[in-house]
Amino acid sequence: MAIRKILTEPDPFLRQISHDIEKVDDEIRKLMDDMLETMYAAPGIGLAAIQIGLAKRVIVIDLSKEEEKKPLYFVNPKVIIKSKNNCTYEEGCLSVPGQFAEVDRPDECEVNYLDYYGQKKKLKAKGLLATCIQHEMDHLEGILFIDYLSKLKKNYIVKKLSKQKKALERIVV
Ligand code: NI
C-alpha cells in the first residue's frame, strides 16, 4: 500500500468526470488499498479516486470511530433512490483543506455498486453515511461541496486556497 498525493482545489483535474471500471481486478484492488491508506493518513472518512489523480469511478469510505476499521468500497456506484427529506451536515473535503460549510442533502439514499471483489451490492444508507456517499459520488461528476455555496462564499474559499497553494510552492534555495 502507498500513500498518494491528494489534489486540492483549485485543480482542474478535480473537475473531470470519472469513468466506469470495466473489471474489478488486482490493479483496482491495489488502487482501493492505496486510497484507503491515503484517506486514513489524511485523516478523512471518504475519498474518491479523482482526488488522487485517477478519473475512475471508485470510492472508499470508513465512518468507524473505534480502532477496528470498517472500510467500504464502492466501484461504479449508482444512486437508485434518494429520499425527499433532507439533512444538513457541516462538510469538509480533503481536496478543500481547512474549509467547512453546511450542506443540505437527501438524508437517505439507496445505491447499487460493485464491492472490493467485484460483487454486485445494494446498500441503503441514512444520515452521515448517506451524506458521505453523496459527497463522494459528486466527486465522480467533478462536483465539490463548495459548489453548493453562494458564489461569494465559494469565491472566497477558492481565493484563500489559491493563496495557500502559492505559498506552499515558494522555495528558498
Ligand atoms: Ni471530498
Side-chain angles (χ1 to χ4, degrees):
M1 290 209 275
I3 293 175
R4 311 270 198 108
K5 187 176 177 270
I6 297 175
L7 305 180
T8 57
E9 173 77 353
D11 186 318
F13 198 79
L14 288 169
R15 299 308 188 166
Q16 289 215 15
I17 293 176
S18 296
H19 308 291
D20 269 338
I21 299 293
E22 275 177 32
K23 196 174 165 231
V24 182
D25 54 15
D26 285 345
E27 193 191 320
I28 297 300
R29 275 187 283 275
K30 162 94 173 55
L31 168 65
M32 291 193 268
D33 291 344
D34 284 357
M35 285 170 63
L36 204 66
E37 197 181 0
T38 304
M39 181 188 83
Y40 287 143
I45 57 172
L47 191 74
I50 192 80
Q51 294 178 272
I52 57 164
L54 286 154
K56 295 179 190 291
R57 299 185 89 83
V58 179
I59 288 168
V60 294
I61 291 175
D62 191 341
L63 302 183
S64 64
K65 284 188 185 125
E66 296 85 39
E67 290 271 297
E68 196 196 329
K69 308 273 186 230
K70 286 176 187 153
L72 292 169
Y73 306 91
F74 299 87
V75 176
N76 303 342
K78 279 183 188 68
V79 167
I80 43 172
I81 301 171
K82 275 185 187 179
S83 66
K84 282 184 189 134
N85 291 344
N86 280 0
C87 64
T88 309
Y89 280 94
E90 190 172 33
E91 293 188 22
C93 177
L94 293 174
S95 293
V96 189
Q99 304 298 319
F100 300 88
E102 286 191 344
V103 179
D104 282 351
R105 296 183 190 270
D107 112 285
E108 282 178 59
C109 66
E110 202 170 317
V111 53
N112 280 342
Y113 61 100
L114 301 176
D115 70 6
Y116 191 81
Y117 301 101
Q119 303 288 318
K120 280 186 185 170
K121 288 278 171 77
K122 182 182 280 193
L123 178 76
K124 264 187 184 172
K126 251 183 134 174
L128 179 61
L129 180 58
T131 289
C132 197
I133 289 172
Q134 292 171 74
H135 173 119
E136 298 312 326
M137 286 187 65
D138 273 354
H139 278 299
L140 307 184
E141 308 301 328
I143 298 167
L144 298 173
F145 80 92
I146 52 172
D147 299 346
Y148 297 108
L149 310 179
S150 70
K151 223 175 174 182
L152 197 74
K153 216 166 174 185
K154 182 183 165 180
N155 286 345
Y156 173 78
I157 289 174
V158 174
K159 237 183 192 173
K160 211 166 160 184
L161 291 173
S162 307
K163 269 189 197 163
Q164 278 172 12
K165 257 192 179 174
K166 271 188 195 143
L168 282 175
E169 280 160 11
R170 248 182 244 147
I171 56 159
V172 180
V173 286

